[in-house]
């Protein structure tokens, strides 16, 4: 997936599954077209709605802390989330570079997380 | 309450109750079991957690989903959120938040963005709550 394609990903189960796999490190299984993460007892666990719910998206933000920021010598990294005058949610690098824009904050967080993971892997 | 006092306000039920009253316009809040309750809870408001005839004050200062209700409240009033992590002062690393009218602070000019911040904390919900209180105080001055 190219970085530009991430900007077009809509919120929903497909993006949630991508986040679960690529960012959170879960194994995702499709059952009847519905993605689940690992089994929790006899039942599969439904994916959190990372791209739609702010509480779920914040789990992704916390995960990003694990591989960026708060390490010695890496304190300048910072996510900046803000709404602009077109009611888009924008995530910027702390010093101004746009990373993503989206119609909701959870979607912006998910797109930024995917981009962060891809950049780290390349 | 002064801005300096707001900067020192810890997360918890006291701050949650203050946010409910000053920012979210809840009325008649009383404390029970260390939680704030809006006792005149009828008719039930779908926007509020309704338990036994009263609305429970959300954990604004500790839960991001509850803090986001504050963000949405400001959005309805024409103010937008700016939220950042990383270095918020020369000494701390945490979260910084601020609310601003888009007409007064165009996004493209936010560089350095730290100029827009009014609340800071170790956590995003607490930074949002402190910024919200300062915004309310500022609007009333």
């Amino acid at each position: 997936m190219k970085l530009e394609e991430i900007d077009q990903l809509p919120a929903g189960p497909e993006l949630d599954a991508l986040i679960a796999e690529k960012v959170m490190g879960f194994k995702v299984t499709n059952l009847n077209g519905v993605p689940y993460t690992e089994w929790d007892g006899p039942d599969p666990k439904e994916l959190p709605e990372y791209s739609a719910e702010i509480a779920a998206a914040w789990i992704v933000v916390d995960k990003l802390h694990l591989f960026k920021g708060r390490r010695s010598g890496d304190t300048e990294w910072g996510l900046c989330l803000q709404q602009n005058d077109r009611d888009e949610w924008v995530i910027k690098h702390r010093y101004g570079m746009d990373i993503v824009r989206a119609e909701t904050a959870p979607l912006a967080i998910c797109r930024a997380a995917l981009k962060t993971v891809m950049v780290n892997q390349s | 309450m002064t801005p300096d006092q707001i900067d020192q306000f810890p997360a918890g039920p006291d701050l949650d109750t203050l946010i409910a009253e000053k920012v979210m316009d809840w009325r008649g809040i009383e404390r029970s079991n260390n939680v704030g309750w809006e006792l005149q809870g009828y008719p039930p408001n779908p926007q509020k957690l309704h338990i036994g005839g009263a609305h429970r004050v959300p954990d604004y200062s500790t839960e991001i989903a509850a803090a986001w209700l504050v963000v949405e409240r400001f959005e309805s009033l024409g103010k937008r959120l700016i939220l950042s992590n990383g270095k918020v002062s020369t000494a701390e690393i945490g979260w910084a938040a601020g609310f601003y009218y888009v007409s007064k602070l165009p996004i493209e000019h936010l560089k350095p963005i730290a100029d827009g911040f009014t609340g800071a904390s170790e956590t995003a919900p607490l930074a949002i709550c402190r910024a919200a209180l300062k915004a309310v105080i500022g609007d009333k001055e």
Side-chain angles (χ1 to χ4, degrees), chain B residues 116-140:
Chain B
F117 297 135
T118 54
S121 158
E122 283 278 300
T123 69
L126 182 52
I128 288 169
C129 287
R130 288 175 175 169
L133 274 184
K134 286 190 183 177
V136 169
I137 289 171
D139 285 347
K140 285 178 179 170

Side-chain angles (χ1 to χ4, degrees), chain A residues 54-55 58 61 65 70 75-85 87 89-90 92 94-95 101 105, chain B residues 64-65 68 71 75 80-87 93-95 100 102 107-108 110-111 113 117 122 124:
Chain A
I54 191 67
W58 219 254
V61 171
H65 278 300
R70 296 201 181 215
T75 56
E76 291 292 334
W77 182 85
L79 169 149
C80 177
L81 174 69
Q82 64 186 126
Q83 249 179 321
N84 66 15
D85 56 357
D87 282 338
W89 285 90
V90 183
K92 289 171 169 276
R94 185 163 176 74
Y95 292 109
R101 292 169 184 245
Chain B
I64 191 67
W68 219 253
V71 175
E75 190 178 351
R80 301 293 183 260
L81 171 72
I82 179 170
L83 178 69
S84 180
N85 68 358
K87 191 181 283 185
I93 299 170
W95 288 89
Y100 63 95
V102 285
I107 186 170
E108 307 302 342
L110 283 177
K111 204 179 193 185
I113 53 178
F117 297 135
E122 283 278 300

Side-chain angles (χ1 to χ4, degrees), chain B residues 2-68:
Chain B
T2 66
D4 285 346
Q5 288 173 317
I6 293 172
D7 287 336
Q8 303 304 318
F9 220 113
D14 286 343
L15 181 52
D16 296 336
T17 301
L18 203 57
I19 290 288
E21 286 178 335
K22 305 291 185 191
V23 179
M24 307 300 281
D25 280 342
W26 287 39
R27 294 287 177 263
I29 297 175
E30 294 192 16
R31 292 283 287 276
S32 175
N33 295 328
N34 208 28
V35 172
W37 298 86
E38 185 184 50
L39 298 181
Q40 297 157 351
Y42 286 106
N45 183 334
Q47 302 288 317
K48 300 175 181 177
L49 181 59
H50 188 263
I51 300 173
H55 293 128
R56 183 190 189 283
V57 171
D59 300 323
Y60 296 116
S61 60
T62 53
E63 297 290 338
I64 191 67
W68 219 253

